[in-house]
Amino acid sequence: MARTMSKTVIKNGTVVSTTGAIAQDVLIDGDVIVAMGAPGYFEGAEQGADKVIDATGKYVVPGGIDVHTHMELPFGGTAAVDTFETGTIAAAWGGVTTIVDMALQRYGENVHEGLSEWHTKAAGNCAVDYAFHQIVGGIDDESLKAMTYLTEQEGVTSFKLFMAYPGVFYSDDGQILRAMQTAADCGATIMMHAENGIAIDVLVQQALARGETDPKYHSYTRPAALEGEATHRAIVLSHVAGNVPLYIVHMSASDALLEVAAARDAGRNVFAETCPQYLYMTLEDTLAKPGFEGAKWVCSPPIRSAHDTHHHHADLWKGLRMNDIAIVSTDHCPFCMKDQKELGLGNFSKIPNGMGGVEHRMELIYQGVVKGEISLERWVETCSTTPARMFGMYPKKGVIAPGSDADILVWDPTKQTKIGINDKHHMNMDHSSWEGYVIDGKVDTVLSRGTVVIENDTYVGRTGHGQFVKRGLSQYLV
Ligand code: DUC
Ligand code: ZN
Ligand code: ZN
């Protein structure tokens, strides 16, 4: 049966791509962009259009792609509080039209069952499109075989491994090497949580024995050097495994960035992402707040001190400019203070690790444009286009071009966004990780495959509109 197509024209806006910002109108038919033209070009088509969006004075950019989220992740004796429904609605509020969430397999579990559990959680519940990476927490013959199957048959082409969290998600170097060899054979990408968890656990036990139980010790017991060391080791292993594409997730430290930059200079297939919290926050204004409040910002890798030997913020922004950091994701893994973060009262090591941010990445990184840290084009590149290319979704996603999905964020640079639990906040947490931040710009209108999901400060989308995206291989290696 033929579907009723709806035509939308976005006119008078400035379309931003990785290569420039141009006054262009956009014609959408059904799910996809069908044409682009000079301002006024679609005046004729406007008569028959179902919707005309006037983007005068606004930027028209590809919808954000957050390639690192953890909806409903069981972790730390509890589970991340955003469901696929609440998390993708919050994503929509933040101009994000695709998330790539991390399906979970732990030691002793079956990879196929882990993936199918994630499909069950997400199917019919998402407001915007979604794809999956697969966490492999138990590497053995069976899970290695499954990695190849997922890559070739399921559109799940990237696998997150952990050098941290012994006894939970951790893999040792031999297991990591085997998984990397498997990925090298089938073309998949290895995503690495690079922190030396064995050494960290020693430091944690020693701190607790000294009575150091407050949230700030979470950061002191996970020093930047142990992120640098693990990053280096992951790079060496990936080289030994045949230069498998290696993607360092949530990079927080200059020590790790130096390793990635050196590997890239040596021609290795090494990539990295960082997250807004590592670009803006310091231990002093988060984890070290009086009492237990710092628990809100316990995540791993940790928020680092302003007094470290390196200026992590400046280095990470520079890494983003220089492309040694290719992508900004959020590692969205939200927990409430009540009953969740509180599990770690009197023992920081029991605080569930993670914070919420899927709603605020486009806003926070746009503020980097305002501050002169990155260009407008680089904002689009690091938050949408490169995520699509890195994880095999381009040009369906990540670009405004004829034939691409009409995933579009209309951004108003003249308005402000005040983030906070009583201001802008649509995630399922009882606090905001970004309370009090004010952004010089605002999400105006958001379209997901041609359907308006946010307009006039209102969510007008539909649960179940979001579809699963089968991904191809990384598009950086061909
Ligand atoms: N780090 C977090 O802070 N939460 C989820 C998992 C992770 O690696
Ligand atoms: Zn991680
Ligand atoms: Zn994560």
Side-chain angles (χ1 to χ4, degrees):
M1 197 177 78
R3 287 174 56 197
T4 322
M5 291 299 202
S6 89
K7 275 202 174 63
T8 302
V9 176
I10 305 176
K11 66 173 188 182
N12 301 330
T14 300
V15 173
V16 186
S17 73
T18 59
T19 54
I22 302 172
Q24 263 183 327
D25 291 355
V26 181
L27 178 63
I28 298 162
D29 196 352
D31 287 4
V32 298
I33 296 159
V34 288
M36 298 166 72
Y41 192 77
F42 300 116
E43 242 161 51
E46 268 178 43
Q47 315 310 322
D50 301 277
K51 196 170 179 74
V52 177
I53 297 170
D54 187 351
T56 302
K58 294 168 189 158
Y59 296 128
V60 179
V61 305
I65 301 175
D66 190 341
V67 296
H68 192 156
T69 69
H70 297 284
M71 306 305 170
E72 306 178 40
L73 178 76
F75 192 35
T78 180
V81 284
D82 268 317
T83 61
F84 277 88
E85 181 173 25
T86 64
T88 54
I89 291 174
W93 275 105
V96 170
T97 49
T98 309
I99 62 164
V100 190
D101 201 84
M102 303 257 177
L104 176 64
Q105 180 256 1
R106 289 172 290 204
Y107 184 77
E109 295 175 352
N110 179 282
V111 171
H112 298 282
E113 285 172 17
L115 176 59
S116 105
E117 191 186 334
W118 245 251
H119 274 296
T120 303
K121 286 179 203 251
N125 291 324
C126 291
V128 297
D129 287 353
Y130 62 98
F132 297 135
H133 311 288
Q134 179 71 50
I135 291 173
V136 185
I139 293 165
D140 55 22
D141 290 345
E142 186 185 80
S143 54
L144 292 174
K145 217 180 276 165
M147 284 174 61
T148 304
Y149 186 86
L150 264 53
T151 302
E152 293 174 351
Q153 305 294 332
E154 298 283 346
V156 175
T157 58
S158 39
F159 299 89
K160 185 180 179 192
L161 311 180
F162 287 79
M163 302 169 102
Y165 302 123
V168 186
F169 301 132
Y170 174 83
S171 296
D172 68 28
D173 290 355
Q175 292 169 317
I176 289 169
L177 181 60
R178 291 186 74 204
M180 286 178 165
Q181 289 169 333
T182 301
D185 283 345
C186 67
T189 294
I190 293 292
M191 309 171 78
M192 189 60 79
H193 181 125
E195 287 186 294
N196 184 328
I198 300 288
I200 285 167
D201 273 13
V202 171
L203 297 179
V204 168
Q205 292 316 317
Q206 290 170 343
L208 291 173
R210 286 194 298 270
E212 297 168 353
T213 59
D214 287 348
K216 68 182 176 197
Y217 294 105
H218 172 75
S219 184
Y220 293 135
T221 55
R222 308 180 85 92
L226 292 182
E227 186 181 337
E229 183 278 329
T231 302
H232 178 81
R233 188 157 31 101
I235 290 167
V236 172
L237 291 169
S238 73
H239 184 54
V240 171
N243 215 8
V244 66
L246 172 66
Y247 178 90
I248 304 294
V249 293
H250 48 46
M251 178 186 282
S252 76
S254 312
D255 310 60
L257 177 58
L258 287 169
E259 298 292 346
V260 166
R264 290 175 60 80
D265 290 347
R268 307 283 168 78
N269 295 331
V270 176
F271 308 93
E273 70 174 17
T274 189
C275 311
Q277 52 270 34
Y278 305 122
L279 292 163
Y280 284 101
M281 294 178 175
T282 65
L283 178 154
E284 287 73 18
D285 25 86
T286 57
L287 291 157
K289 280 195 195 283
F292 190 63
E293 200 190 346
K296 290 175 183 172
W297 298 280
V298 165
C299 61
S300 295
I303 307 298
R304 304 205 174 274
S305 170
H307 309 300
D308 266 7
T309 43
H310 290 289
H311 294 288
H312 300 294
H313 292 175
D315 289 350
L316 293 174
W317 280 115
K318 181 169 179 232
L320 267 184
R321 283 192 295 276
M322 303 285 285
N323 205 33
D324 286 324
I325 300 174
I327 288 177
V328 183
S329 72
T330 59
D331 199 12
H332 178 76
C333 191
F335 296 103
C336 290
M337 283 294 265
K338 189 168 166 7
D339 297 338
Q340 295 197 303
K341 293 284 186 180
E342 279 173 1
L343 293 167
L345 268 167
N347 180 344
F348 70 85
S349 75
K350 300 258 190 289
I351 300 169
N353 287 197
M355 65 175 73
V358 72
E359 181 178 349
H360 301 309
R361 181 187 58 134
M362 300 305 283
E363 295 157 357
L364 290 161
I365 304 308
Y366 180 79
Q367 194 63 20
V369 177
V370 175
K371 292 192 329 163
E373 294 284 4
I374 56 170
S375 67
L376 196 57
E377 290 82 0
R378 190 71 183 143
W379 174 53
V380 167
E381 191 164 34
T382 56
C383 293
S384 180
T385 310
T386 299
R389 294 187 65 204
M390 187 72 71
F391 294 104
M393 294 183 282
Y394 186 91
K396 177 179 166 66
K397 305 290 189 191
V399 62
I400 297 182
S404 294
D405 282 356
D407 290 351
I408 295 177
L409 162 60
V410 180
W411 178 264
D412 188 343
T414 68
K415 298 228 174 80
Q416 284 195 324
T417 305
K418 188 159 187 240
I419 302 175
I421 193 83
N422 296 315
D423 295 299
K424 184 170 187 277
H425 177 90
H426 299 89
M427 296 169 288
N428 213 6
M429 313 152 67
D430 61 2
H431 64 279
S432 170
S433 309
W434 296 94
E435 186 68 41
Y437 277 75
V438 178
I439 304 304
D440 299 307
K442 186 174 185 292
V443 171
D444 181 89
T445 304
V446 181
L447 292 90
S448 164
R449 274 182 292 102
T451 298
V452 175
V453 290
I454 299 287
E455 66 180 348
N456 302 324
D457 291 317
T458 311
Y459 170 69
V460 293
R462 179 177 62 81
T463 299
H465 165 81
Q467 292 180 355
F468 177 64
V469 181
K470 263 190 154 186
R471 298 184 294 108
L473 303 182
S474 168
Q475 292 161 312
Y476 275 90
L477 302 175
V478 286

